[in-house]
Amino acid sequence: MAKKTVASLQTSSKRLTKAIKMVKSPKTGAYTFQESVMTPEVVNEWLSKK
């Protein structure tokens, strides 16, 4: 079954976005997913960080 991701979350007067980033582990080489809920203005900055 496919996993559905909610792109934007609406809570009271604040607009939030859920961002998911794939990160490769330097030790094992396996990929893990990091999830975070933040404002839309900081999504690109968070995704570009290593």
Side-chain angles (χ1 to χ4, degrees):
M1 187 178 271
K3 185 176 179 182
K4 185 176 180 181
T5 303
V6 177
S8 63
L9 306 170
Q10 198 85 18
T11 58
S12 63
S13 64
K14 293 183 180 181
R15 183 169 171 210
L16 300 174
T17 302
K18 181 178 182 180
I20 302 172
K21 176 170 53 170
M22 260 180 48
V23 179
K24 187 173 184 177
S25 172
K27 291 182 181 179
T28 62
Y31 285 95
T32 59
F33 293 95
Q34 290 182 345
E35 298 182 16
S36 181
V37 177
M38 63 195 79
T39 59
E41 293 82 22
V42 297
V43 171
N44 287 334
E45 180 184 319
W46 183 75
L47 289 173
S48 65
K49 284 195 278 184
K50 285 193 172 188

